[in-house]
Amino acid sequence: MICRGCGIQKLSREFPDEPLSDRCKHTVDRCYRCMVKHLRESDKCPVCTVIVRREELVKEYDAKLVTLFPWQKPTSSPVVGRSSRTLTVMGFGGDNVTIRYSPDRFISDIKTEIQKKLSITIPHQRLFCNKEYLKERTSVGRQATLEDYNVKPGSTIDVAKSFYQLASIGSVVFEVQYRNPCKRYGHNHQDFIDISAMLYQEKQHVKNYDHSCKARQESRFTDHAGGVIYFEPDRQTGVMSEDYGRQSITIQMSALPDNITSVFFVLSAWQDNSLLSEFTSPEVNLSYTKTGNIAEQCEKIYTKLPKKNALIVCRLDKLSTNQWELLETQVASSGNIRDYPQLYQTIQDKL
């Protein structure tokens, strides 16, 4: 049975036996883990929006998860009540902290606390709530507060790490190197990490570029070097075997259509039933050259590969003509280059 929350095929015992409330007139289509995650932020059924007894349900479902998965620690995140005076700050890499809520609290004060608790320096923080960018100052120049952005108690603020702003870019190269788990599959059933560049105009998806585009000669402004496998002798047998993989994509930024405002860089496993965590020793780099300058600068992006098919590693957001900002995202997702719709949904929901 496929969970509609996380999109993963799961056993029937990983789903609640009954709906959240007697007033729910639908079947249960989300697993215990997704239900707990939803109920920690909402007191409504995720399907029909009926008000439910969420604190009791969270305790019940947490206990069930402990029974099903005794080797995993249950989440300790508090259930957010209606009278709560706290906010959850969520890093795109998965780290989260709870901070004090007050409607007149300055955004700059929030950033100072995030720097202390998540070790992301203030100049590199980009805060979002309900997909709205929380700036330190309003349009009239005064210090912005949570109330200015209609942030309510119990809300979640997402913090992205800004690596740097890039002006006059000529090209950007996104590259991954990794240790290949193909020995698990055998020579005729190898697996690879694919790179995709997903182009957006504001919130509207425009185009994807991956290794298939090069074969079809579709793009004038991207180039893809894919599927390179390094051969290494087995230490015991001496037989040469595929062990390391590398793939990269190059985008001529100055040649992108003017309507493109964001570029998402994605890693995904080729095999549908594979997890990125099965690949080891990942090294992800993003390098760029400036227009008219052959000198190249490189940024190594720390990446922990998740137990999912895909990872949205980072994004480039357009600030003005030929000026872009590189933001870390590190959001895990289902899907791959043969199943983009699940990636579309993750970007819509979380980014």
Side-chain angles (χ1 to χ4, degrees), residues 87-107:
L87 295 170
T88 298
V89 177
M90 183 74 69
F92 279 121
D95 296 330
N96 67 87
V97 295
T98 300
I99 63 174
R100 178 181 59 84
Y101 172 84
S102 175
D104 59 355
R105 193 171 184 190
F106 293 131
I107 301 301

Side-chain angles (χ1 to χ4, degrees), residues 20-47:
L20 301 185
S21 166
D22 292 336
R23 290 172 293 168
C24 296
K25 304 302 180 183
H26 51 80
T27 58
V28 178
D29 58 4
R30 285 166 172 78
C31 66
Y32 283 117
R33 202 174 300 281
C34 288
M35 284 293 196
V36 169
K37 182 179 179 181
H38 170 79
L39 291 172
R40 289 194 181 282
E41 298 184 358
S42 174
D43 58 359
K44 296 180 180 180
C45 170
V47 178

Side-chain angles (χ1 to χ4, degrees), residues 237-250:
T237 65
V239 176
M240 300 295 286
S241 62
E242 297 92 339
D243 212 357
Y244 290 90
R246 178 173 61 83
Q247 194 167 133
S248 67
I249 189 167
T250 302

Side-chain angles (χ1 to χ4, degrees), residues 186-206:
H187 183 75
N188 294 323
H189 194 62
Q190 298 171 345
D191 203 358
F192 308 92
I193 290 182
D194 287 305
I195 287 179
S196 304
M198 301 175 67
L199 277 55
Y200 276 73
Q201 178 181 2
E202 302 298 341
K203 297 180 180 180
Q204 183 68 38
H205 173 256
V206 177

Side-chain angles (χ1 to χ4, degrees), residues 144-184:
T145 65
L146 293 172
E147 189 174 32
D148 289 324
Y149 295 101
N150 198 30
V151 177
K152 304 296 184 183
S155 298
T156 296
I157 293 178
D158 294 306
V159 53
K161 179 180 178 182
S162 171
F163 285 107
Y164 39 58
Q165 295 183 5
L166 310 173
S168 303
I169 313 176
S171 63
V172 169
V173 182
F174 184 72
E175 179 184 48
V176 61
Q177 298 186 55
Y178 56 90
R179 192 176 183 90
N180 202 307
C182 61
K183 292 178 182 178
R184 180 171 74 86

